[in-house]
Amino acid sequence: MVTPRRAAVAIACCWIVSFLVGLTPMFGWNNLNKMRRTQELNSNYTEFVITCQFETVISMEYMVYFNFFVWVLPPLLLMLLIYLEVFNLIRKQLNKKVSSSSNDPQKYYGKELKIAKSLALVLFLFVLSWLPLHVLNCITLFCPSCQTPHILTYIAIFLTHGNSAMNPIVYAFRIKKFRTAFLQIWNQYFCCKTNKNATSTTTAETGN
């Protein structure tokens, strides 16, 4: 089912949706008009100045109702259910003593379990990195009188950005195919080294 074409389409769709969701505040869903109205009510003679702080310029309605309740929480719950089902199926297969297409079912499903654990770790890191910011956003929206320290907001934002750096490391350490692919990309595009295995294979095929 997972062909290169379908994988490319899925990746492209993910990036397009991410761009649309992430750039929505730049299309007008932000606090600019509210800040202007506040400035006009306070004084008509001072220069309009925007304080570049996250909670000042970003609409909490956008962050909570649109971003969190639509694009983060439902997919997160769906992924949790899927992973629970995956682990349940693998556990059932490991307990069975029937033969499969593989010569060693225990080894095959053990490998599948290891990959599932790696992906579950990625999901756990995603939750750990993103939930603090969304919880702070909910507090800001639903409890305007509650004061949250700015340092907590900055730490939560840092975690969300750091999550993007965690995934390649987890994949590389836990899944051999990803580690091999990362090394190949690094050597080819950053160290300007050619893949010796690929070159020798091509040479052997040419000779044959």
Side-chain angles (χ1 to χ4, degrees):
M1 292 180 64
V2 184
T3 63
R5 179 184 177 87
R6 290 175 179 173
V9 171
I11 293 171
C13 290
C14 287
W15 276 103
I16 291 172
V17 171
S18 299
F19 268 107
L20 293 176
V21 173
L23 294 178
T24 297
M26 299 186 68
F27 299 148
W29 197 348
N30 50 54
N31 289 336
L32 180 60
N33 293 329
K34 183 166 65 175
M35 293 169 64
R36 282 177 175 167
R37 288 194 299 267
T38 304
Q39 184 76 9
E40 290 173 358
L41 292 174
N42 292 337
S43 175
N44 294 325
Y45 303 101
T46 58
E47 183 181 359
F48 178 63
V49 178
I50 298 176
T51 304
C52 188
Q53 291 181 347
F54 181 77
E55 293 183 358
T56 304
V57 296
I58 296 294
S59 169
M60 285 298 108
E61 287 82 4
Y62 158 78
M63 287 299 299
V64 174
Y65 294 123
F66 183 68
N67 198 328
F68 184 44
F69 289 167
V70 175
W71 294 106
V72 174
L73 199 57
L76 179 60
L77 295 176
L78 179 61
M79 285 188 290
L80 286 174
L81 292 175
I82 290 174
Y83 277 120
L84 288 175
E85 181 65 17
V86 167
F87 281 118
N88 186 41
L89 289 175
I90 293 177
R91 183 181 59 81
K92 287 181 179 179
Q93 293 296 335
L94 287 174
N95 292 333
K96 286 183 179 179
K97 294 185 178 180
V98 296
S99 61
S100 65
S101 58
S102 174
N103 295 328
D104 190 352
Q106 188 80 11
K107 182 179 179 181
Y108 172 77
Y109 287 108
K111 183 179 178 181
E112 295 296 312
L113 181 61
K114 182 180 179 181
I115 295 176
K117 286 181 177 179
S118 300
L119 298 177
L121 178 60
V122 170
L123 181 63
F124 171 75
L125 291 175
F126 174 83
V127 173
L128 191 66
S129 301
W130 280 95
L131 275 188
L133 179 62
H134 288 295
V135 169
L136 290 176
N137 291 337
C138 290
I139 293 174
T140 303
L141 179 64
F142 299 124
C143 183
S145 60
C146 301
Q147 296 293 330
T148 56
H150 289 296
I151 186 64
L152 290 181
T153 304
Y154 295 143
I155 292 174
I157 294 174
F158 176 79
L159 285 175
T160 61
H161 287 72
N163 180 248
S164 299
M166 295 178 192
N167 292 345
I169 297 174
V170 173
Y171 285 132
F173 276 99
R174 300 277 303 182
I175 303 177
K176 184 178 179 181
K177 288 184 178 180
F178 277 94
R179 184 165 62 249
T180 303
F182 286 147
L183 288 174
Q184 181 179 349
I185 292 172
W186 178 265
N187 291 331
Q188 184 174 351
Y189 293 101
F190 293 94
C191 299
C192 299
K193 296 179 182 179
T194 57
N195 190 343
K196 294 182 180 180
N197 293 333
T199 305
S200 60
T201 304
T202 306
T203 305
E205 289 177 352
T206 305
N208 293 333

